[in-house]
Amino acid sequence: MTDVAVAGWAQNLAPELVRLLPRQLLDAFVQFPDVVMAFVSMGLAAILVSAFWIIRGAFQASSSAQVALKAQGLRRQKDHRASVLIGHIEGADRRVREQIKRAIEEGFGLFAFQAEAQVNLFPIRLPVLPPAAHAEKLRRIALEAHDVLDRTAGDVIIWGKRNWLGKLDLRVTAAPGYGRMPEVMAIQTVWRGRPDPAVEKAIAYVCARRARPVLNRPQDYKPERLQPIVEALDQLVQDPPNEISESAMLEILGDFASGALSLGERGGNIRWLQKAFEARRAYLDHIDQTADPGAWGAAQQEIGRALAALGEREGARDKLEEAVSRLKIAMDALRATDSLQHAEVAMRALHRAEQTLVQRKRVGLRWPV
């Protein structure tokens, strides 16, 4: 059909369409063309808006169905392995998610007695808010993430965003214990091309720490089982990941100090006590007593324990005396918080350090100057 024929057909069709319109509408259009066009425009706008919401609703329904099916499948195949989910990472392609997946699969066992992890990409989008955002908004996002874990029988979920410069802002959370508030860990790092192996290990550790916690109670494990984990953390402390957030490094540093102290107190090499002392002192430099008195008091308690153990083995009176001083400070700080367990540990360590001082004086030990 030629352009001339199309134009002639359109000219013939227009009068026919006009005849189909109600007489009142034609009269109104003749008398008030602007008003009629305004109503017609509003009608068209309403149709377009309705179409948009219908399409959007259909898309959301399809996405929800996809999430539900994936969740059911993961729940059915749940086994003894830890389940780690990787949600959507805004601004990153699938390759970045696959790299994170591989990093967790390869590094998880290093921090969990060689246990395996089942890592899956999960079709969920969760907002990434700054850590200083409103507490209620952060809590709602955490609850949404925990709902996903509940539906999938998962242990840990990760999501985040990445900007065009390669800065990666991740969020990690696990199902909270009974009666505890949900907590979300923020990790900022740089992810360009092939990431730093130390960054990969750090992310694997953060996941393993939440799925299979070990160093929150290191005394529950035999030293020979605990030592490989502490040695792996020692490598991260000695050669820290490039451009990783302070919060993530403080978590690694604190857990390393606790593990090294446990090894040293239970007859391990004295170097573990020295490393624990140095790590906790470095950790303490980044903790504000007024902002987090519990963490500050716990750090003082572990410094005191490390000094007391070093003082016993080296026969160093100055270290024992400093240990007593540190443990008293720790007890005062911890009594004002809910850290009753740390306060009891500090009390037992203080009692032992004071007894050691008394016994050494009683037998007439010659102290070094």
Side-chain angles (χ1 to χ4, degrees):
M1 184 180 291
T2 64
D3 293 342
V4 175
V6 172
W9 177 77
Q11 289 176 357
N12 294 330
L13 180 63
E16 295 297 329
L17 292 175
V18 170
R19 290 193 190 98
L20 296 175
L21 296 175
R23 183 67 184 177
Q24 295 84 350
L25 182 60
L26 291 174
D27 292 341
F29 181 75
V30 173
Q31 297 177 16
F32 308 102
D34 294 339
V35 175
V36 173
M37 290 304 297
F39 276 102
V40 171
S41 299
M42 292 171 62
L44 289 174
I47 292 172
L48 291 174
V49 170
S50 299
F52 168 78
W53 284 108
I54 290 172
I55 294 172
R56 187 173 186 271
F59 177 79
Q60 288 181 338
S62 175
S63 178
S64 299
Q66 183 184 8
V67 169
L69 289 173
K70 183 72 172 178
Q72 290 176 5
L74 290 176
R75 178 173 279 276
R76 282 195 299 267
Q77 67 183 26
K78 173 68 175 175
D79 53 24
H80 67 281
R81 294 174 295 175
S83 175
V84 180
L85 307 179
I86 302 178
H88 180 70
I89 299 178
E90 181 184 347
D93 54 19
R94 186 181 179 89
R95 179 179 59 87
V96 173
R97 297 171 75 197
E98 290 287 356
Q99 288 176 332
I100 295 175
K101 178 178 182 291
R102 185 175 62 252
I104 296 171
E105 288 173 339
E106 294 176 355
F108 187 93
L110 189 63
F111 305 104
F113 302 132
Q114 301 305 315
E116 294 183 0
Q118 183 182 29
V119 188
N120 291 282
L121 305 185
F122 194 78
I124 189 70
R125 294 173 180 265
L126 295 170
V128 179
L129 298 180
H134 193 277
E136 180 59 24
K137 292 182 178 179
L138 295 174
R139 189 185 70 85
R140 288 177 183 175
I141 296 172
L143 290 175
E144 188 176 352
H146 295 151
D147 178 64
V148 173
L149 292 175
D150 184 60
R151 285 189 287 162
T152 60
D155 297 297
V156 178
I157 183 170
I158 306 173
W159 72 98
K161 65 180 180 179
R162 180 173 178 261
N163 65 16
W164 62 278
L165 292 174
K167 183 179 179 182
L168 186 64
D169 193 2
L170 295 177
R171 298 293 181 270
V172 184
T173 190
Y178 178 76
R180 300 190 65 180
M181 292 296 293
E183 296 181 358
V184 177
M185 172 72 175
I187 306 174
Q188 292 86 30
T189 186
V190 173
W191 199 281
R192 301 189 191 97
R194 178 64 181 178
D196 179 6
V199 171
E200 293 181 317
K201 283 186 179 180
I203 292 175
Y205 172 69
V206 169
C207 293
R209 183 184 194 271
R210 283 154 179 79
R212 297 288 185 266
V214 174
L215 294 180
N216 58 339
R217 292 185 59 84
Q219 67 275 10
D220 292 348
Y221 304 94
K222 294 180 179 180
E224 57 270 21
R225 295 196 68 200
L226 188 65
Q227 185 163 331
I229 298 177
V230 178
E231 289 175 345
L233 288 176
D234 191 17
Q235 293 179 2
L236 289 176
V237 171
Q238 298 302 320
D239 186 18
N242 295 326
E243 301 180 272
I244 198 168
S245 56
E246 182 180 285
S247 59
M249 272 311 302
L250 281 179
E251 187 170 273
I252 292 170
L253 188 64
D255 284 348
F256 166 69
S258 296
L261 177 59
S262 180
L263 291 178
E265 284 183 325
R266 291 188 288 174
N269 195 303
I270 197 171
R271 70 185 178 92
W272 289 121
L273 293 173
Q274 295 167 340
K275 283 179 174 288
F277 171 73
E278 293 168 0
R280 270 304 176 194
R281 191 166 58 178
Y283 176 91
L284 203 58
D285 292 338
H286 298 275
I287 298 297
D288 184 359
Q289 180 181 3
T290 56
D292 196 348
W296 187 88
Q300 290 284 6
Q301 174 246 107
E302 290 199 356
I303 289 177
R305 286 166 56 196
L307 285 169
L310 285 169
E312 284 186 45
R313 296 195 191 182
E314 298 175 354
R317 180 174 182 174
D318 57 338
K319 289 183 179 179
L320 280 168
E321 290 176 342
E322 184 180 352
V324 169
S325 176
R326 292 266 190 176
L327 290 168
K328 287 180 177 179
I329 292 173
M331 285 180 57
D332 291 339
L334 293 169
R335 281 171 177 166
T337 68
D338 295 330
S339 305
L340 298 179
Q341 181 181 357
H342 288 299
E344 291 177 2
V345 172
M347 184 182 301
R348 290 196 298 268
L350 175 61
H351 181 66
R352 177 172 175 173
E354 289 177 334
Q355 279 190 327
T356 303
L357 276 172
V358 171
Q359 290 172 359
R360 295 294 176 88
K361 291 178 180 179
R362 188 174 298 166
V363 297
L365 180 65
R366 296 181 61 187
W367 298 96
V369 179

